[in-house]
Amino acid sequence: MFGWKIKDPRMNYRTSEMSGAYNGGLEVATHGLVAGTRVASAMGWRGVESLAKGDMVLTFDNGLQPITDIRRVTICLDAMETEKALWPVLIPPNALGNKEKLTLLPDQGVMLECEAAADIHGDPFALVNAHALVGERGIYRAPPNTRIELIAISFAEDQVIYAEGGALILCLSYTTTLDRLLDGSQSTYEVLSQTEASRLVECFVMELEDRGDHGFPQMQHGL
């Protein structure tokens, strides 16, 4: 109905809200979506800031899943004093299946579909950090706004969701590493190391270009 790409049609179903402002740098945040980013939900494409606990969001592997936790933080900073390595990553339209521009934190997990991943890992879908994509398909870092509102949604378990028409974004649950060690559970998803991600991104881009998909690189402007 919404033009989603779904890896697996199975619909089997597989934690406090924090609000506030932080005067500092982006190093306090590793994942979460910028307010205004639209995600696929049971109610269609909704801005992430409009979602609430209990709302159903379409996940890549497990169909519609209820949001169990939402954390919101407003970061206030001076872009000129923020290290470039911490600048947000801008994904232009069509670069990763997204129909609109997408702004991601540099350590945000992004899922790619790549034949090379199947050859190496036995699965054509692999996760990389957003900063591993910089320099490819028009993707670049941009100086952040002085005020950024981030919304991190989570589920009972880690999930991958759809953003802006087709980009696949990792949403971590808030189960701590210690909790997982105690109960023996593990995350379903693993983000590749920087070295592995760099190799995979090169293969991913080559495969797209071999298919004639060169993306639509955009002029580099600030956020």
Side-chain angles (χ1 to χ4, degrees), residues 113-162:
E113 180 180 5
C114 180
E115 293 178 7
D119 295 337
I120 299 170
H121 304 287
D123 188 332
F125 297 93
L127 283 159
V128 303
N129 288 322
H131 63 75
L133 298 161
V134 172
E136 304 290 353
R137 298 178 65 77
I139 298 171
Y140 64 98
R141 295 182 187 273
N145 288 328
T146 56
R147 181 182 176 90
I148 299 175
E149 183 182 1
L150 296 171
I151 295 94
I153 62 174
S154 62
F155 306 87
E157 297 183 7
D158 296 347
Q159 301 288 351
V160 171
I161 67 170
Y162 297 82

Side-chain angles (χ1 to χ4, degrees), residues 15-18 31 51-55 66-72 151-156 171-175:
T15 46
S16 60
E17 183 167 343
M18 176 183 69
H31 67 284
L51 297 173
K53 289 182 183 180
D55 284 349
I67 295 173
T68 57
D69 192 13
I70 297 182
R71 301 192 181 191
R72 308 171 191 268
I151 295 94
I153 62 174
S154 62
F155 306 87
C171 289
L172 298 174
S173 71
Y174 283 105
T175 303

Side-chain angles (χ1 to χ4, degrees), residues 21-26 73-82 88 142-149 222-223:
Y22 174 81
N23 293 313
L26 287 172
V73 61
T74 299
I75 299 176
C76 301
L77 48 81
D78 185 335
M80 300 308 295
E81 294 182 1
T82 301
N145 288 328
T146 56
R147 181 182 176 90
I148 299 175
E149 183 182 1
L223 294 179

